Amino acid sequence: QAFFVCPTQKLKVLAVAEPRFAEMKAGEVVMRVVREQGVRGLYDGIEAMAARRGMDWMIRFTVSAKLNEFIRSFKDDPTEQLLLPELMACGVVGGAFSAITHPIDCIITNSQKPSYIGKKDPLTVAKSIYKEAGWKGFGRGLAPKILDNSYHTMWMYGIGTFVYEVVGKWTRGD
């Protein structure tokens, strides 16, 4: 996932942080980055992104599934499927918990900023963030991240689990 997401996030960061890129089409930005930085320039922050993506999704689905199990344990029939709103609530909580990876996201974003000068490995970027803003630098944008993660996981886990269980019952003839 990081292999495909990293270049698109780089384009987003460039469009927001650099006025000269804001008016360009995505293809033009890609060509400019490749011309100026090589293909590797599209993958600034790939190391941190790969780590974050793996942890992020593991946390989202593990927390959502464990909460699902916990809620089922209070039901008369613990094997009974949760209602759609309950599944969606599990997703909201799982998404919120996954925001614990937000400091890694800050490292990724900072490594992709056009104004960042220096080595772009995760440790060097983290040191730069800390030097500039202290620990607060790793929490910039945390509230929107919690909302974004919760919203997306609500749909992915809630609707995804619901559809999976309904299709499973249908194909088994339950």
Side-chain angles (χ1 to χ4, degrees):
Q1 186 183 21
F3 182 77
F4 294 103
V5 173
C6 197
T8 58
Q9 182 166 326
K10 169 90 177 213
L11 295 176
K12 177 181 77 173
V13 169
L14 288 174
V16 170
E18 186 65 44
R20 66 188 171 123
F21 290 116
E23 300 300 320
M24 297 170 74
K25 294 179 180 169
E28 294 171 334
V29 176
V30 169
M31 294 308 294
R32 182 108 175 235
V33 169
V34 170
R35 227 181 5 262
E36 293 175 5
Q37 303 172 19
V39 173
R40 176 73 177 109
L42 294 172
Y43 290 94
D44 288 337
I46 186 77
E47 303 88 354
M49 182 171 286
R52 181 197 166 271
R53 289 286 176 178
M55 286 188 295
D56 179 68
W57 291 110
M58 178 206 51
I59 292 166
R60 287 182 195 218
F61 287 109
T62 301
V63 170
S64 298
K66 290 298 181 184
L67 184 55
N68 182 329
E69 290 174 17
F70 180 73
I71 293 169
R72 284 181 186 216
S73 73
F74 290 98
K75 295 197 175 258
D76 292 334
D77 179 5
T79 62
E80 179 185 328
Q81 177 182 340
L82 295 185
L83 301 172
L84 182 58
E86 293 170 316
L87 289 170
M88 293 173 85
C90 291
V92 166
V93 173
F97 268 84
S98 75
I100 197 167
T101 64
H102 184 69
I104 301 170
D105 217 18
C106 291
I107 293 168
I108 297 163
T109 301
N110 277 272
S111 72
Q112 294 178 338
K113 288 188 335 191
S115 61
Y116 181 79
I117 307 292
K119 289 176 61 181
K120 296 188 177 195
D121 65 280
L123 187 58
T124 303
V125 175
K127 287 178 182 177
S128 172
I129 293 168
Y130 184 77
K131 184 179 177 184
E132 177 188 315
W135 292 113
K136 289 181 181 180
F138 295 99
R140 292 182 189 142
L142 179 59
K145 175 58 73 182
I146 292 170
L147 292 173
D148 182 66
N149 289 3
S150 296
Y151 173 79
H152 286 100
T153 311
M154 172 186 73
W155 290 106
M156 288 177 32
Y157 182 81
I159 301 294
T161 303
F162 182 80
V163 169
Y164 176 81
E165 291 184 11
V166 168
V167 169
K169 286 181 180 180
W170 178 70
T171 57
R172 289 187 308 270
D174 294 351

